[in-house]
């Protein structure tokens, strides 16, 4: 079992930055990949970023490449999503997720086994 708790969401103006954190507990954090997804009202959940167990490999959706970075601190059991140059279309609930069957991570939500409760990010124009 893995428990995930996100934090760091909020209201920010377009062009601003936010850093989301996701604290994990339970299974050994360094043994699995992590991902971030988001869901806007009326839209399907979409992939944002993923990071391998060691942090060596990262993956991003085209819509956030060059603006978002993902990182992890295995000593603190935490994964981060640094979001820069935010746009109104980034407004969504952001979820972190754990893929305990894969050490590399993927972009499909159904690959992930455990989910946090989500944190709201609102970008005003």
């Amino acid at each position: 079992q893995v428990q995930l708790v996100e934090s760091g969401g909020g209201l920010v103006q377009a062009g601003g930055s936010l850093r989301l954190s996701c604290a994990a507990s339970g299974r050994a954090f360094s043994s699995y990949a992590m991902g971030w997804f988001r869901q806007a009202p009326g839209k399907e959940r979409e992939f944002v970023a993923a990071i391998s167990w060691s942090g060596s490999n990262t993956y991003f959706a085209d819509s956030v490449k060059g603006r978002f970075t993902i990182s992890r601190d295995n000593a603190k059991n935490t994964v981060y999503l640094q979001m820069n140059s935010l746009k109104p279309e980034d407004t969504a609930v952001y979820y972190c997720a754990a893929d305990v069957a894969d050490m590399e991570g993927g972009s499909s939500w159904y690959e992930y086994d455990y989910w946090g409760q989500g944190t709201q990010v609102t970008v005003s124009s």
Side-chain angles (χ1 to χ4, degrees), residues 3-9 19-24 34-37 45 79 93-97 114-120:
Q3 294 78 42
L4 303 171
V5 179
E6 301 102 333
S7 61
R19 187 176 82 155
L20 305 183
S21 300
C22 174
M34 294 291 296
W36 285 96
F37 291 76
R45 189 168 298 192
V79 63
V93 177
Y94 284 70
Y95 299 90
C96 68
Y114 298 96
W115 294 81
Q117 81 287 354
T119 185
Q120 177 70 46

